[in-house]
């Protein structure tokens, strides 16, 4: 059973004067040995704390100074000499606390001194005998004869063969895992958790704990059944006069005595495990003597069968506890008198009494219950005899005159002393009852700390123990069927043989050998379960993978798991309250089978993955054997009891999901992680073959974050928007760039990445984080856009925030970085999303109860504008917002028909949206547009010619703003009423026509406003662009100023890089007066389709 262990450094002869004792708990020390993170509560940050790698003696450090290894002296702190490493590695040992006794004393400063002995157990004592003792137990002594009689020899052999094959295959897999490195305390739990990960390990570990706990209930119930049925039956507290109440009375007796026995055993375990270990040899001796008595009894039946007569009425077996003479009448002094048997079937003891019909029609026969090995009774016991609850036990081929009272519930009148089934029997039920008799194969691996050579002893000892016990079970099945009469075998409690234990009737020299031996065997097994289960729970709790179990990781000062023992006793009491050994056995069968299933799975996964660390010394394994064992375990679970199997799987599944959701993160190099890596590799290779189809396209987002001076995320709402767009689906890479060199800022990069992950966690953003260090921000973002992702799993969309203070920047780098990012995403055929006023976007815990999401579809660049509102409305924040689609119409277009076509298009896209066509006809360019363009060009020219300080730039920006406002107010009074309709188009022909019209409009305006000669020198391309931005902004503001979100086509940057500042002005004018805006630029491919 899992226990704690202590790591003790044993110094060599050179350093014999140094301290030799050190202590640690089970998993702290275990993980130090392997370089894994140590955790008691699960809350600590993982660290590498190996005594071999990080522990250097300061005196030894100076030993290398000036020697041959001076070249490596600066690395001694992190890379010790090989000689030092090997010396410490060879002299470390792990001892299981609780199995090897520790004498612990406390000094004045509270530090414990531990005096321990090295592991000395060999294969026979350390593995073979514990496995044999745990495998041979209560089912062998109390139920195997009944299973043979009910299932027949052939059916019983099938049951034994399936169960033993299952455990043998599991032992092979377990041997491979156990010899693949050191297995510290925890046994099977340690093997499964380190092979399949904390989720599977915790789920199966708790199932194994429940199985071990219910095994304690099984052994205690077996102990009480032997006590009350065969040793002191008069000690029963509850007695029923009516036969139908006898079973309930027996169950109540089992509950009372079982609870008392549990309390007594728990006190023994609480006082000290050393008493249990000292009694282990006594309990083992009882098992061995009992087995020897059975074989001796079989041999004796050849010479002289024992005298155990049974009484049959017709072909029905009778309980002979209440009568001595198997006759209806007897002659005493030449006078015919009725016997005690007569009184059980008749209404009085006179010869002319009215008797039961079947009693009148059939004769009474007495036969030997143990006819012997050479009697030929084996042929009668070859096949099974299943039946419902209450069915009478009858001898095959025995003459009988039938009567209509086949079942016990059809009887009327006084109770009849027949032997009948107390439960309905079938093959699957017997499998569930028998399987606990083959459990216990983990006893050797649980004692790995006590073994002289665990990697040699565990495989040999376990496999030989299973082979031995399998031979014992198979031979017992055959010998029981060949020596014992069938009606006696089917008599579960020995009522037909004077309430003797059926297996005891076969033993030699006396049935009491088996009775006493089985009693102490069950006591010992119960104590072992109550000793091992709390330690297993303590090991799980100290791993920190199940937060609510952490309290059970604590115990007494000597490490005894007090709280875990209390919980174990409470769960064990549940099994005792069930009070039926036949009902408890299938429960623990489920938990053990699930544990064995995952041991096989762990071995199969590790073998198939061929991980470099998978190098077991045990070579006689194969993944096909592991899969066969896993399949057999799974089949046996549903054969035994499909509903128990479903409940066990549900419990394990709930624990798995809980650990996955709330448990501490652990990295144990488990096989499931390796399996995930292989699956990811094959998936990435598959994705590389061809780009995703339009139907499978979804935004795989690269989020470009900006960090503040404290390396914290400046705009966390950008992560909120990512969460709302993605809902955990697809790829999300959250990245940022630090300026500098990696060697000087690697600590900042690590801290930044931790801050980004923390922000992702708080905003519930699922994805990956990556912070790079680059000589400048531009190159860093460029590298991310080019290289983020892996293989076919790369981003296709870039999300960033609008640079609010681009005008007040220290220089033009902020503006230039933004524009270059736009250019690079366009060149890379990636979509771009730019969020304006990102800090005004709703958080994930908000809910917009009303409002609209407005989409302004100006140009078609792949349909991303249509897809984004659908995706964002899947999130609860935007779910109640309605979607509106706006588009623009040419003067010559039929806007009514356009609206119908757009509605039809939305219908085919399966999008629920309101549609509106906005007519923006040709108009003259307003004086405000000219003035806006003039101010923009003047500002750009000044910034190019002068090196202004930050304060001067802000003053200049303020002056420009004042001039804009004043010019706009004065010109509006003089200008003609500006039309509110501007023609916008996106076809090539309409674009040429629009340019011609703009030239004519420019000439007309020049005539009207000839009082402004500086306008004539303006770049007409800039004037037209500004005109478009101003008029489109007026329409968007008039329609969507109150909307919750506006999605708008983002114009591309100019090909002439000299107009970059003007491009930013155009965008600023375009989105002016709007609160939440998402500028969208497609990647040049269709991302939405009307087809299925």
């Amino acid at each position: 059973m899992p226990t704690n262990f202590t790591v003790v450094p044993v110094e060599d002869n050179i350093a014999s004067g140094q301290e030799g004792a050190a202590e640690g708990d089970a998993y702290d020390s275990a993980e130090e040995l392997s370089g894994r993170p140590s955790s008691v509560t699960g809350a600590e940050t993982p660290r590498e704390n190996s005594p071999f790698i990080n522990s250097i003696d300061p005196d030894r450090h100076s030993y290398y100074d000036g020697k041959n290894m001076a070249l490596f002296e600066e690395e001694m702190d992190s890379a010790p000499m090989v000689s030092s490493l090997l010396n410490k590695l060879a002299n470390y040992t792990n001892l299981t606390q609780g199995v090897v006794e520790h004498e612990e004393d406390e000094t004045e400063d509270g530090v414990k001194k531990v005096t321990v002995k090295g592991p000395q157990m060999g294969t026979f004592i350390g593995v073979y005998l514990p496995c044999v003792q745990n495998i041979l137990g209560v089912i062998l002594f109390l139920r195997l004869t009944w299973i043979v009689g009910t299932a027949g020899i052939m059916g019983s052999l099938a049951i034994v063969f399936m169960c033993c094959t299952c455990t043998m295959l599991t032992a092979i897999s377990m041997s491979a895992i156990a010899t693949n490195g050191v297995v510290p305390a925890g046994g099977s739990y340690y093997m499964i958790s380190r092979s399949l990960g904390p989720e599977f390990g915790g789920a199966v570990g708790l199932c194994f704990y429940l199985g071990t706990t219910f095994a304690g209930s099984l052994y205690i119930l077996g102990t009480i059944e032997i006590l009350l049925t065969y040793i002191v039956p008069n000690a029963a507290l509850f007695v029923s006069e009516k036969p139908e109440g006898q079973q309930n009375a027996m169950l109540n007796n089992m509950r009372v005595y079982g609870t008392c026995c549990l309390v007594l055993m728990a006190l023994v375990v609480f006082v000290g495990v050393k008493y249990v270990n000292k009694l282990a040899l006594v309990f083992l001796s009882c098992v061995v003597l009992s087995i020897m008595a059975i074989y001796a009894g079989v041999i004796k039946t050849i010479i002289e069968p024992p005298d155990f007569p049974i009484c049959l009425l017709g072909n029905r077996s009778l309980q002979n506890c209440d009568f001595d003479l198997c006759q209806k009448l007897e002659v005493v002094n030449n006078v015919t008198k009725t016997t005690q048997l007569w009184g059980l079937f008749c209404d009085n003891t006179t010869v002319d009494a009215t008797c039961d019909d079947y009693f009148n029609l059939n004769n009474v026969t007495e036969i030997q219950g143990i006819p012997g090995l050479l009697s030929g009774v084996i042929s009668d016991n070859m096949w099974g005899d299943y039946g419902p609850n209450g069915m009478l036990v009858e001898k095959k081929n025995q003459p009988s005159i039938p009567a209509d009272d086949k079942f016990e519930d059809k009887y009327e009148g006084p109770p009849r002393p027949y032997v009948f089934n107390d439960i309905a029997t079938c093959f699957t039920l017997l499998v569930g009852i028998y399987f606990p008799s083959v459990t216990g194969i983990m006893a050797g691996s649980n004692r790995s700390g006590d073994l002289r050579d665990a990697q040699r002893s565990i495989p040999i000892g376990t496999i030989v123990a299973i082979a031995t016990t399998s031979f014992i079970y198979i031979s017992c099945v055959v010998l029981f069927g060949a020596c014992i009469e069938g009606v006696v075998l089917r008599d579960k409690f020995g009522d037909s043989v004077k309430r003797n234990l059926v297996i005891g009737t076969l033993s030699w020299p006396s049935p009491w050998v088996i009775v006493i031996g089985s009693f102490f065997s069950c006591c010992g097994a119960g104590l072992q379960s109550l000793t091992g289960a709390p330690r297993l729970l303590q090991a799980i709790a100290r791993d920190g993978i199940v937060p609510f179990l952490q309290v059970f990781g604590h115990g007494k000062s000597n490490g005894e798991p007090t709280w875990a023992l209390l919980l174990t006793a409470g769960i064990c009491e549940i099994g005792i309250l069930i009070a039926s050994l036949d009902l408890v056995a299938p429960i623990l069968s489920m938990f053990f089978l699930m544990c064995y299933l995952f041991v096989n799975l762990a071995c199969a996964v590790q073998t198939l993955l061929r991980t470099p660390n998978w190098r077991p010394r045990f070579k006689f394994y194969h993944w096909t054997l592991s899969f066969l064992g896993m399949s057999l375990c799974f089949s046996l679970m549903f054969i035994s009891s499909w509903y128990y199997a479903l409940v066990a799987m549900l419990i394990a599944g709930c624990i798995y999901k809980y650990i996955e959701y709330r448990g501490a993160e652990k990295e144990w190099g488990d096989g499931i992680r390796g399996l995930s890596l292989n699956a990811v590799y094959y998936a990435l290779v598959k994705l590389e073959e061809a780009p995703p189809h339009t139907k499978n396209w979804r935004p795989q987002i690269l989020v470009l974050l900006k960090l503040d001076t404290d390396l914290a995320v400046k705009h966390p709402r950008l992560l909120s928007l990512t969460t709302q767009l993605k809902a955990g689906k697809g790829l999300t890479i959250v990245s940022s760039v630090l300026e500098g060199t990696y060697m000087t800022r690697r600590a900042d990069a690590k801290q930044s990445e931790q801050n980004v992950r923390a922000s992702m966690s708080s905003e519930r953003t699922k994805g990956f984080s990556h912070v790079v260090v680059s000589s400048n921000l531009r190159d860093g973002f460029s590298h991310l856009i080019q290289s983020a992702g892996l293989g076919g799993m790369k981003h296709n969309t870039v999300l960033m925030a609008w640079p609010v203070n681009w005008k007040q920047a220290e220089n033009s780098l902020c503006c230039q970085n933004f524009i270059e990012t736009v250019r690079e995403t366009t060149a890379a055929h990636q979509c771009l999303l730019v969020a304006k006023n990102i800090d005004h976007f709703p958080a994930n815990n908000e809910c917009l109860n009303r409002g609209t999401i407005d989409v302004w579809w100006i140009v078609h660049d792949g349909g991303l504008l249509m897809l984004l509102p659908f995706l964002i409305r899947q999130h609860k924040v935007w779910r109640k917002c309605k979607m509106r689609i706006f588009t623009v119409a040419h003067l010559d277009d039929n806007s009514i028909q356009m609206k119908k076509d757009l509605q039809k298009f939305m219908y085919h896209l399966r999008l629920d949206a309101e549609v509106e066509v906005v007519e923006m006809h040709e108009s003259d360019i307003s004086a405000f547009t000219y003035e806006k363009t003039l101010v923009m060009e003047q500002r750009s020219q000044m910034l190019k010619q002068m090196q202004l300080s930050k304060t001067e730039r802000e003053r200049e920006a303020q002056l420009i703003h004042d001039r804009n406002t004043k010019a706009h107010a004065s010109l509006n009074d003089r200008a003609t009423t500006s039309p509110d309709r501007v023609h916008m188009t996106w076809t090539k022909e309409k674009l040429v026509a629009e340019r011609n019209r703009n030239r004519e409009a420019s000439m007309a305006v020049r005539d009207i406003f000839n009082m402004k000669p500086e306008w004539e020198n303006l770049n007409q391309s800039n004037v037209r662009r500004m005109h478009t931005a101003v008029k489109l902004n007026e329409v968007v503001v008039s329609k969507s100023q109150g909307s919750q979100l506006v999605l708008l086509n983002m114009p591309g940057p100019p090909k002439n890089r000299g107009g970059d500042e003007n491009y930013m002005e155009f965008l600023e004018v375009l989105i002016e007066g709007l609160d939440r805006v998402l500028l969208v630029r497609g990647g040049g491919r269709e991302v939405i389709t009307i087809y299925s």
Side-chain angles (χ1 to χ4, degrees):
M1 292 301 173
T3 55
N4 302 326
F5 73 90
T6 302
V7 177
V8 181
V10 183
E11 302 296 340
D12 58 4
N13 294 332
I14 297 176
S16 60
Q18 299 175 354
E19 297 94 9
E23 70 171 22
D25 53 43
Y27 285 87
D28 289 341
S29 302
E31 291 175 340
E32 286 175 5
L33 285 172
S34 57
R36 296 190 188 91
S38 169
S39 176
V40 175
T41 63
E44 291 88 354
T45 303
R47 67 187 189 278
E48 186 172 330
N49 188 17
S50 170
F52 305 143
I53 296 178
N54 295 332
S55 301
I56 292 295
D57 189 346
D59 297 332
R60 188 71 62 91
H61 179 74
S62 61
Y63 176 77
Y64 296 107
D65 292 343
K67 301 293 181 180
N68 294 338
M69 296 302 164
L71 183 61
F72 301 95
E73 62 185 7
E74 293 184 356
E75 301 178 0
M76 290 298 178
D77 291 336
S78 59
M81 296 302 301
V82 173
S83 58
S84 173
L85 172 72
L86 293 178
N87 178 51
K88 293 187 177 184
L89 182 65
N91 289 288
Y92 262 74
T93 181
N94 58 336
L95 297 176
T96 307
Q97 185 180 17
V99 178
V100 175
E101 284 309 311
H102 292 56
E103 295 295 335
E104 299 185 344
D105 298 319
E106 283 202 18
T107 60
E108 294 180 358
D109 56 356
V111 179
K112 300 184 182 67
K113 289 184 177 180
V114 184
T115 304
V116 294
K117 297 180 180 179
Q120 298 295 329
M121 290 189 180
T123 303
F124 185 75
I125 298 295
V127 179
Y128 178 78
L129 289 182
C131 286
V132 170
Q133 179 184 2
N134 280 268
I135 294 173
L136 300 176
V138 60
I139 301 297
L140 170 65
F141 299 122
L142 295 183
R143 292 293 183 268
L144 187 58
T145 54
W146 174 71
I147 291 174
V148 173
T150 305
I153 294 176
M154 299 304 295
S156 301
L157 288 176
I159 294 173
V160 173
F161 178 77
M162 284 193 303
C163 296
C164 291
T165 302
C166 176
T167 54
M168 180 61 78
L169 294 174
T170 303
I172 292 173
S173 300
M174 183 193 70
S175 299
I177 299 174
T179 58
N180 188 52
V182 178
V183 179
S188 59
Y189 160 70
Y190 184 92
M191 290 187 290
I192 296 172
S193 62
R194 269 55 177 183
S195 298
L196 294 181
E199 293 86 3
F200 278 110
V204 181
L206 285 177
C207 285
F208 188 49
Y209 162 73
L210 292 174
T212 307
T213 304
F214 276 103
S217 302
L218 182 78
Y219 296 133
I220 292 174
L221 290 175
T223 301
I224 302 305
E225 182 176 314
I226 295 171
L227 179 69
L228 295 181
T229 306
Y230 306 113
I231 300 179
V232 281
N234 295 328
L237 300 176
F238 300 91
V239 180
S240 176
E241 298 295 337
K242 298 180 179 180
E244 58 269 17
Q246 291 179 359
Q247 187 173 3
N248 291 332
M250 184 61 181
L251 293 178
N252 290 330
N253 287 319
M254 297 281 284
R255 294 184 179 104
V256 173
Y257 279 97
T259 302
C260 296
C261 184
L262 172 63
V263 172
L264 182 62
M265 288 184 176
L267 287 175
V268 172
V269 174
F270 176 78
V271 169
V273 71
K274 59 183 178 181
Y275 300 108
V276 179
N277 294 325
K278 290 179 179 178
L279 292 173
L281 187 59
V282 176
F283 299 141
L284 177 61
S285 302
C286 293
V287 174
V288 174
L289 289 176
S290 299
I291 299 297
M292 294 175 62
I294 293 172
Y295 285 110
V298 170
I299 296 173
K300 186 176 182 299
T301 61
I302 302 175
I303 305 170
E304 181 184 358
D307 183 23
F308 284 98
I310 59 173
C311 189
L312 301 178
L313 176 61
N315 64 350
R316 298 178 182 178
S317 178
L318 300 178
Q319 301 180 18
N320 60 4
C321 301
D322 298 327
F323 62 91
D324 296 324
L325 192 61
C326 186
Q327 295 177 3
K328 293 182 179 180
L329 302 171
E330 64 176 340
V331 179
V332 179
N333 298 326
N334 296 324
V335 177
T336 301
K337 294 184 178 180
T338 59
T339 61
Q340 293 175 316
L341 182 60
W342 182 280
L344 296 176
F345 285 91
C346 302
D347 55 3
N348 57 64
T349 58
T350 60
V351 178
D352 57 351
T354 302
C355 298
D356 182 80
D357 291 341
Y358 190 82
F359 183 77
N360 290 329
L361 295 174
N362 292 274
N363 295 324
V364 176
T365 308
E366 187 176 70
I367 61 174
Q368 281 297 324
I370 313 295
L373 187 62
L374 304 179
S375 63
V377 74
I378 187 173
S379 59
D380 296 333
N381 296 329
M382 193 62 67
W383 306 106
D385 187 12
Y386 304 104
N389 185 9
M391 189 187 79
L392 302 179
V393 175
E394 299 176 340
K395 178 175 171 55
K396 302 174 183 177
N397 304 323
Q398 181 76 10
S400 173
I401 301 174
D404 190 20
D405 57 354
K406 179 86 173 171
F407 296 97
E408 181 70 13
D409 56 2
K410 292 183 179 180
Y411 291 163
E412 296 180 358
R416 306 293 189 255
Y418 292 124
V419 178
F420 55 88
N421 290 347
D422 63 331
I423 58 173
T425 55
C426 59
F427 180 80
T428 57
L429 173 71
L430 299 182
V431 172
I433 293 176
Y434 173 77
F435 188 81
S437 66
V438 297
T439 60
I441 63 174
M442 302 290 185
S445 62
N446 292 339
R447 295 167 178 257
S448 58
D450 301 329
L451 301 176
R452 187 181 304 112
D453 186 358
Q455 296 193 7
R456 177 180 179 274
S457 298
I458 290 176
I460 297 175
T462 304
I463 293 175
V464 173
I466 293 175
T468 303
T469 53
S470 299
F471 171 77
I472 291 174
Y473 280 124
I474 292 173
S475 62
C476 283
V477 166
V478 175
L479 294 176
F480 291 164
C483 295
I484 305 175
E485 186 63 55
V487 290
V488 179
L489 289 173
R490 293 194 295 277
D491 182 4
K492 182 186 293 185
F493 301 106
D495 293 323
S496 61
V497 286
K498 299 289 185 180
R499 274 298 174 98
N500 279 301
L501 184 61
V502 174
I503 195 173
T505 60
L506 185 63
S507 65
W508 182 87
S510 169
W512 285 100
V513 175
I514 296 291
V515 172
I516 301 301
S518 60
F519 177 80
F520 284 109
S521 173
C522 292
C523 286
L527 284 171
Q528 292 287 350
S529 297
L530 291 178
T531 302
R535 283 163 174 75
L536 176 57
L537 181 62
Q538 186 182 48
I540 298 172
R542 288 187 171 181
D543 255 349
I545 59 175
V546 185
F548 70 85
L549 291 180
Q550 290 180 5
V551 65
F552 299 106
H554 306 290
K556 294 192 296 185
S557 58
N558 61 353
E560 293 296 324
T562 307
W563 294 107
L565 177 61
L566 291 176
L567 179 63
T568 302
I571 298 175
C572 193
E573 177 65 17
I574 297 174
I576 290 174
L577 292 178
I578 296 175
S580 174
L581 188 146
D582 300 321
L583 296 179
V584 174
I587 297 177
L588 66 100
S589 294
M590 292 304 111
F591 292 123
F592 278 117
L593 280 168
M594 183 168 291
C595 178
Y596 296 166
L597 183 150
F598 281 98
V599 169
N600 286 290
L601 176 62
C603 180
V605 167
Q606 297 279 25
T607 305
L608 289 176
L609 288 178
R610 298 178 181 176
T611 53
N613 191 54
W614 179 247
R615 303 183 302 274
R617 291 188 177 276
F618 180 77
K619 302 299 182 182
F620 304 99
Y621 69 94
H622 196 267
W623 67 267
T624 54
L625 295 178
S626 299
F627 268 112
L628 180 61
M630 183 177 64
S631 303
L632 191 55
C633 290
F634 188 78
S635 302
L636 285 175
M637 287 177 66
F638 283 89
I639 288 174
S640 301
S641 176
W642 64 269
Y643 45 89
Y644 278 163
L646 292 178
V647 171
M649 294 172 67
L650 179 64
I651 293 174
C654 292
I655 298 171
Y656 177 93
K657 295 305 294 183
Y658 176 82
I659 295 173
E660 186 181 51
Y661 179 67
R662 292 290 304 276
E665 294 183 2
K666 297 286 183 178
E667 173 51 53
W668 287 332
D670 51 87
I672 293 298
R673 187 173 180 84
L675 193 63
S676 301
L677 290 174
N678 273 13
V680 167
Y681 167 75
Y682 288 117
L684 289 174
V685 171
K686 193 71 175 177
L687 286 175
E688 194 77 7
E689 296 177 359
H693 192 271
T694 301
K695 291 184 291 186
N696 297 326
W697 194 95
R698 66 165 59 245
Q700 318 286 2
I701 298 179
L702 171 66
V703 184
L704 301 181
L705 288 179
K706 188 174 182 181
L707 304 179
D708 58 20
T709 55
D710 296 329
L711 303 180
V713 176
K714 191 171 185 179
H715 300 294
R717 290 295 171 86
L718 203 59
L719 297 176
S720 301
L721 178 60
T722 306
T723 302
Q724 294 157 20
L725 275 171
K726 300 289 292 179
K729 304 296 191 299
L731 175 68
T732 300
I733 304 175
V734 181
S735 59
S736 187
V737 177
L738 297 180
E739 200 166 5
T741 63
Y742 181 72
M743 294 304 295
T744 58
R745 301 206 64 182
R746 57 182 177 179
D748 291 342
K750 184 176 181 180
Q751 182 62 43
S752 301
E753 196 154 347
Q754 290 178 355
N755 294 341
V756 170
R757 279 198 295 266
S759 297
M760 291 175 65
S761 177
S762 63
E763 299 296 337
R764 296 197 291 273
T765 303
K766 297 181 179 179
F768 309 98
S769 61
H770 190 40
V771 177
V772 299
V773 181
S774 180
S775 58
N776 57 75
L777 297 179
R778 173 70 253 125
D779 290 344
F781 285 121
S782 177
H783 295 157
L784 287 171
I785 292 172
Q786 295 177 60
S787 60
L790 179 64
M793 200 63 177
K794 295 180 69 68
H795 65 279
N796 54 29
T797 305
V798 176
L799 173 62
M800 60 190 303
W802 172 258
V804 180
N805 298 323
W806 65 273
K807 293 182 180 180
Q808 291 79 29
E810 180 67 25
N811 47 45
S812 61
L813 283 180
C814 176
C815 168
Q816 194 62 34
N817 288 344
F818 177 82
I819 298 174
E820 287 302 317
T821 301
V822 177
R823 285 196 174 102
E824 289 183 359
T825 55
T826 304
H829 302 291
Q830 295 174 4
C831 303
L832 177 64
L833 308 178
V834 179
K836 177 198 174 187
N837 293 334
I838 185 61
D839 294 329
H840 296 176
F841 276 63
N844 291 324
N845 55 2
E846 298 180 24
C847 184
L848 304 177
N849 294 322
R850 57 186 178 83
T852 60
I853 300 175
D854 291 352
V855 178
W856 284 86
W857 192 18
I858 310 301
V859 296
H860 180 67
D861 54 2
L864 183 60
L865 268 173
M866 307 297 172
L867 185 60
L868 286 177
F870 169 76
L871 293 176
I872 204 171
R873 288 179 69 234
Q874 305 302 308
H875 198 274
K876 64 179 182 179
V877 173
W878 305 92
R879 190 165 295 154
K880 295 182 180 181
C881 294
K882 295 182 179 180
M883 179 178 170
R884 297 194 300 180
I885 305 289
F886 295 91
T887 189
V888 294
H890 190 273
L891 178 63
D892 300 330
D893 289 333
N894 186 342
S895 59
I896 298 177
Q897 185 61 39
M898 282 184 64
K899 184 173 182 179
K900 291 181 180 179
D901 294 341
L902 185 56
Q903 287 175 335
K904 186 176 181 180
F905 184 54
M906 291 296 105
Y907 175 79
H908 286 307
L909 289 178
R910 289 91 64 199
L911 296 177
D912 184 16
E914 297 179 9
V915 172
E916 186 172 345
V917 177
V918 179
E919 296 179 352
M920 298 180 63
H921 298 157
E922 175 189 355
S923 68
D924 293 334
I925 301 177
S926 66
F928 173 73
T929 302
Y930 273 103
E931 190 67 23
K932 193 85 171 174
T933 308
L934 177 62
V935 172
M936 176 187 70
E937 291 191 353
Q938 288 177 348
R939 178 184 179 279
S940 299
Q941 189 66 23
M942 284 188 294
L943 291 178
K944 289 178 181 178
Q945 294 176 355
M946 301 175 61
Q947 296 295 328
L948 301 177
S949 65
K950 182 178 180 181
T951 304
E952 291 171 332
R953 287 191 185 185
E954 291 175 353
R955 188 183 304 114
E956 174 70 10
Q958 184 64 39
L959 290 173
I960 293 173
H961 180 269
D962 294 340
R963 289 178 59 187
N964 284 347
T965 306
K966 184 176 180 180
H968 191 194
S970 61
L971 290 174
N972 278 347
D973 296 335
R974 290 179 290 167
T976 58
T977 304
S978 59
D980 57 355
R981 302 194 174 198
V982 178
H983 168 65
M984 295 294 293
T985 183
W986 54 86
T987 63
K988 183 176 181 181
E989 295 80 5
K990 294 179 180 180
L991 181 60
V992 173
E994 176 68 17
R995 286 176 177 173
N996 293 334
R997 293 188 185 98
N998 284 339
R999 291 193 190 99
E1000 297 172 1
S1002 175
M1003 296 299 295
V1005 171
R1006 190 176 304 169
D1007 293 337
I1008 296 173
F1009 300 105
N1010 52 18
M1011 76 291 296
K1012 293 279 189 177
E1014 62 269 21
W1015 290 356
E1016 297 180 6
N1017 299 323
L1018 294 177
N1019 186 315
Q1020 294 304 309
S1021 175
N1022 288 341
V1023 173
R1024 292 195 306 272
R1025 290 173 182 267
M1026 182 64 74
H1027 176 69
T1028 301
V1030 169
K1031 301 311 294 182
L1032 186 57
N1033 175 259
E1034 290 178 359
V1035 176
V1036 173
V1037 169
S1038 66
K1039 297 286 186 180
S1040 302
Q1041 191 170 20
S1043 64
Q1044 298 288 2
L1045 178 64
V1046 176
L1047 283 83
L1048 185 66
N1049 281 116
M1050 181 179 181
K1055 295 182 180 179
N1056 180 12
R1057 295 178 182 269
D1060 287 352
E1061 293 85 356
N1062 300 337
Y1063 173 69
M1064 297 296 292
E1065 287 282 359
F1066 296 145
L1067 294 182
E1068 188 77 55
V1069 171
L1070 181 62
I1071 60 180
E1072 189 175 5
L1074 300 172
D1075 186 20
R1076 300 188 190 117
V1077 181
L1078 195 61
L1079 292 173
V1080 180
R1081 185 163 177 80
R1085 61 161 292 176
E1086 293 292 335
V1087 300
I1088 193 168
T1089 178
I1090 64 174
Y1091 300 104
S1092 60

